[in-house]
Amino acid sequence: MVEYLKTNFGLDIPHLISVAVPVLVTFLVCYVSIKVIMKFVRKLLKRAPLERNLTSFLEKVIKFVLYFIVILIIADMLSIPVTSLLATFSVVGLAASLAIQDALGNLASGVMILATKPFKSGDYIEGGSVSGTVSDINFSHTLLVTPDNKQIHVPNKEIINSTIINYSEQQFRRVDISFDIEYTSDSNKVKEIMNEAIVKHPKVLQDRPIFVRTTAYKDSAIEYTLRVWVNSCDYWEVYFDLLEGIKEMFDKNNINIPYNKLDVHIVNQ
């Protein structure tokens, strides 16, 4: 049988066995070794303070590198020139990277976002000329949900290259509101009303600095500004409550907010 295969097909069975057995044994040893290494890597990655998406990505990259090394080892055992194989992979990799340059840029930006953590899921951010609540972060896009429930898929490269404002990262935020009041109004009464509205609101943090002062003298009005601290989640509720409540109190006390007007004087010749 061996002579038949060698004569008719040119197959040297003993030689094939002598080559295949070491290759198979090497592959099995490498396969088991990779399983053990990956188990150890997963434990390390779980202990590291990394996002789930980044952990999964690193696992795949490490596994790819290990199997690539196995391919090189087996190629060397089969007398395949490793340098030529590496050169081929380099050319193919360069061509592929040029073809998907934008995708690779978004991938790199996604890894950077997951590693540096400028924001996380659930944060309200402004970046890349858009704003919204972060719903998901993947390796190509970041998904934002706007207050009116629109979904925006923003390329990671656009976000990472822009100024990112995270409105949810800090526990407290400061509410700033300014009012323009007529010059004839009682300044002390204006500030008294503003302070009263601040003290009455249950979600204003009374143990943090409260600012109520005159901040500008304009052409037709005096500007009064209040600054109070609130929990970040209460920002908009406190902002609108104070804006509406103080205006109602101004109206009850005959304190007027002037509007732009134009006086026209007609001169008879």
Side-chain angles (χ1 to χ4, degrees):
M1 183 64 179
V2 173
E3 290 297 327
Y4 176 78
L5 292 173
K6 186 175 181 180
T7 303
N8 292 277
F9 299 99
L11 296 176
D12 189 349
I13 300 301
H15 176 70
L16 288 176
I17 293 174
S18 66
V19 173
V21 170
V23 169
L24 182 60
V25 172
T26 301
F27 176 78
L28 290 174
V29 171
C30 291
Y31 179 79
V32 174
S33 300
I34 289 174
K35 288 289 185 182
V36 174
I37 293 171
M38 289 308 301
K39 187 176 180 180
F40 177 71
V41 167
R42 289 189 191 97
K43 289 183 178 179
L44 288 179
L45 291 176
K46 283 181 180 179
R47 294 176 183 175
L50 300 174
E51 291 285 340
R52 179 176 54 83
N53 289 345
L54 181 57
T55 300
S56 176
F57 175 74
L58 290 175
E59 282 185 21
K60 291 176 182 178
V61 170
I62 294 171
K63 184 182 288 188
F64 174 81
V65 171
L66 291 175
Y67 275 110
F68 183 72
I69 293 172
V70 172
I71 291 173
L72 294 180
I73 293 172
I74 292 175
D76 185 59
M77 293 179 65
L78 295 173
S79 300
I80 299 174
V82 175
T83 53
S84 301
L85 191 63
L86 287 173
T88 303
F89 274 116
S90 299
V91 172
V92 173
L94 178 60
S97 63
L98 291 175
I100 56 173
Q101 187 173 5
D102 288 339
L104 290 176
N106 286 322
L107 174 63
S109 299
V111 172
M112 190 176 297
I113 289 172
L114 292 170
T116 58
K117 297 181 179 179
F119 52 83
K120 59 184 181 298
S121 294
D123 287 351
Y124 188 88
I125 68 165
E126 181 180 330
S129 73
V130 295
S131 60
T133 301
V134 179
S135 175
D136 185 40
I137 307 168
N138 56 51
F139 289 108
S140 60
H141 292 75
T142 295
L143 178 62
L144 301 181
V145 179
T146 63
D148 57 346
N149 210 31
K150 295 176 183 176
Q151 289 188 345
I152 305 176
H153 295 262
V154 188
N156 288 329
K157 188 166 65 173
E158 183 178 340
I159 288 185
I160 207 69
N161 290 331
S162 66
T163 300
I164 302 172
I165 302 175
N166 190 331
Y167 293 98
S168 304
E169 182 68 21
Q170 299 298 322
Q171 182 180 355
F172 306 114
R173 282 187 67 186
R174 194 180 73 184
V175 177
D176 293 18
I177 304 177
S178 295
F179 295 92
D180 289 345
I181 305 298
E182 285 184 345
Y183 272 93
T184 56
S185 298
D186 185 345
S187 178
N188 291 327
K189 186 64 177 177
V190 171
K191 289 185 279 188
E192 179 185 330
I193 290 172
M194 294 169 71
N195 276 305
E196 183 181 346
I198 291 170
V199 171
K200 284 183 177 180
H201 202 290
K203 293 188 176 180
V204 172
L205 301 177
Q206 305 295 336
D207 58 338
R208 297 183 71 88
I210 293 174
F211 177 94
V212 178
R213 298 292 298 271
T214 302
T215 50
Y217 293 100
K218 299 182 177 180
D219 292 340
S220 58
I222 301 176
E223 180 185 80
Y224 297 87
T225 301
L226 69 84
R227 296 171 185 156
V228 296
W229 290 89
V230 299
N231 289 311
S232 294
C233 58
D234 298 327
Y235 178 87
W236 289 113
E237 180 182 352
V238 174
Y239 178 87
F240 290 120
D241 286 350
L242 291 178
L243 194 65
E244 295 172 354
I246 291 175
K247 175 59 169 65
E248 290 177 3
M249 295 172 71
F250 282 162
D251 293 341
K252 291 178 181 178
N253 289 272
N254 296 320
I255 294 175
N256 299 319
I257 297 176
Y259 51 88
N260 291 331
K261 56 184 177 180
L262 178 66
D263 293 333
V264 179
H265 298 273
I266 300 175
V267 179
N268 294 322
Q269 296 294 337

